[in-house]
Amino acid sequence: MYNPVKTIKTNTVGTVNMLGLARRVKARMLLASTSEIYGDPEIHPQPETYWGHVNTIGPRSCYDEGKRVAESLMVAYQKQEKVQIRIARIFNTFGPRMHMNDGRVVSNFILQALQGKPITIYGKGAQTRSFQYVDDLVDGLIALMNSNTSLPVNIGNPEEYTITDFANLIKNLVGSKSKIINHPSQEDDPKQRRPDITRAAELLNWKPKISMKDGLKKTIEYFQAELEQEKAKS
Ligand SMILES: O=C(O)[C@H]1O[C@H](OP(=O)(O)OP(=O)(O)OC[C@H]2O[C@@H](n3ccc(=O)[nH]c3=O)[C@H](O)[C@@H]2O)[C@H](O)[C@@H](O)[C@@H]1O
């Protein structure tokens, strides 16, 4: 985490500030929570009823615990101050207009593949993630805001890949000659992640519509166009 103190402050003080505002103006408030609240999960896939497995003093705790406190704050303000709350637990999301240098796996691998640089896998690459396309997330958030539920709801695509398979998939979609190399693993990196989206289906009548491959193709096109634009400028 680039700035752990700011990360905790944003998630805690920021959420309190917004909840205070929501109470004053009687607004319904959405918390963009995260699959990270499940930590390194011992239950797979992860349903909303799972309480999680987070290291309170690890490098990710500023984010994970920050979001967990944010969820607690939402529930406390609902109970005590009658604020209308909605909690989305968002799983890894990608798509056009994401930041090219955000350091996360989708942007890293696409950029590396397009530029013919080595594709960097942290650790052995056996860890898994499930990636959803941004349009599906937006539809899920709108459905959640229009629903009556104040329970947390997972919003994600259950299509699960190991990071090694994901690297190969991107390499093939780009038609890249990049080498795939292994770097040291990241501390407390969750070994597996896949949303159980039964609750979203039941309460929101929502499920993802765009396959990961189709989403990746659109994202690769976007990155390609951005790189060409950058080249033209220089
Ligand atoms: O969407 C989520 O739920 C969360 O996902 C991410 O956390 P993470 O799943 O670790 O996402 P990435 O940083 O993209 O990493 C995914 C996996 O790819 C690996 N990775 C990442 C980048 C890279 O160059 N190489 C690589 O192997 C990581 O070690 C990890 O196992 C974000 O950091 C959180 O903001 C977000 O809440």
Side-chain angles (χ1 to χ4, degrees):
M1 289 290 160
Y2 174 66
N3 191 332
V5 172
K6 218 172 204 171
T7 302
I8 295 180
K9 279 188 179 168
T10 306
N11 282 315
T12 54
V13 181
T15 304
V16 172
N17 290 345
M18 292 306 293
L19 279 162
L21 178 64
R23 186 192 55 189
R24 287 198 297 282
V25 303
K26 300 199 184 332
R28 182 174 288 180
M29 179 161 152
L30 171 72
L31 173 69
S33 186
T34 169
S35 57
E36 289 276 321
I37 64 112
Y38 299 121
D40 187 10
E42 296 147 306
I43 289 188
H44 195 70
Q46 294 80 51
E48 292 86 347
T49 46
Y50 177 49
W51 289 358
H53 179 221
V54 174
N55 174 7
T56 56
I57 55 167
R60 303 173 88 95
S61 75
C62 54
Y63 187 69
D64 299 6
E65 295 292 1
K67 289 287 189 185
R68 289 168 69 94
V69 172
E71 288 199 10
S72 305
L73 285 166
M74 295 286 282
V75 173
Y77 269 75
Q78 178 195 35
K79 192 168 177 210
Q80 206 175 312
E81 309 290 344
K82 308 292 174 242
V83 174
Q84 287 185 53
I85 62 161
R86 300 289 180 269
I87 301 173
R89 291 189 179 152
I90 301 170
F91 283 64
N92 299 61
T93 304
F94 69 96
R97 296 200 290 281
M98 70 190 295
H99 198 297
M100 297 224 291
N101 299 308
D102 69 7
R104 291 186 297 169
V105 72
V106 179
S107 44
N108 277 10
F109 284 5
I110 294 179
L111 267 188
Q112 289 162 342
L114 284 172
Q115 296 176 325
K117 292 183 180 161
I119 296 178
T120 53
I121 293 181
Y122 301 155
K124 292 207 175 84
Q127 69 270 38
T128 69
R129 292 294 185 277
S130 309
F131 298 96
Q132 78 177 324
Y133 188 63
V134 62
D135 290 11
D136 283 327
L137 169 63
V138 172
D139 287 347
L141 294 179
I142 292 170
L144 177 61
M145 282 306 268
N146 291 332
S147 77
N148 295 322
T149 189
S150 54
L151 292 171
V153 182
N154 289 339
I155 309 281
N157 186 333
E159 266 189 76
E160 182 182 8
Y161 278 75
T162 66
I163 293 303
T164 298
D165 288 346
F166 191 61
N168 280 307
L169 176 65
I170 289 184
K171 188 178 155 173
N172 291 336
L173 285 175
V174 169
S176 167
K177 293 205 172 68
S178 289
K179 271 195 293 198
I180 295 181
I181 61 170
N182 292 83
H183 280 199
S185 56
Q186 290 187 310
E187 201 180 330
D188 292 344
D189 198 357
K191 286 185 270 307
Q192 50 182 358
R193 182 181 292 157
R194 170 152 59 104
D196 178 331
I197 54 170
T198 312
R199 183 177 283 177
E202 281 172 7
L203 298 183
L204 314 180
N205 194 22
W206 172 90
K207 61 175 194 318
K209 294 193 188 108
I210 298 167
S211 73
M212 200 187 68
K213 246 190 201 170
D214 286 347
L216 277 178
K217 284 182 197 156
K218 292 177 206 264
T219 312
I220 290 167
E221 270 171 35
Y222 166 78
F223 274 57
Q224 226 155 7
E226 287 290 298
L227 286 178
E228 273 159 30
Q229 225 175 23
E230 266 178 26
K231 228 194 234 165
K233 269 191 219 152
S234 61

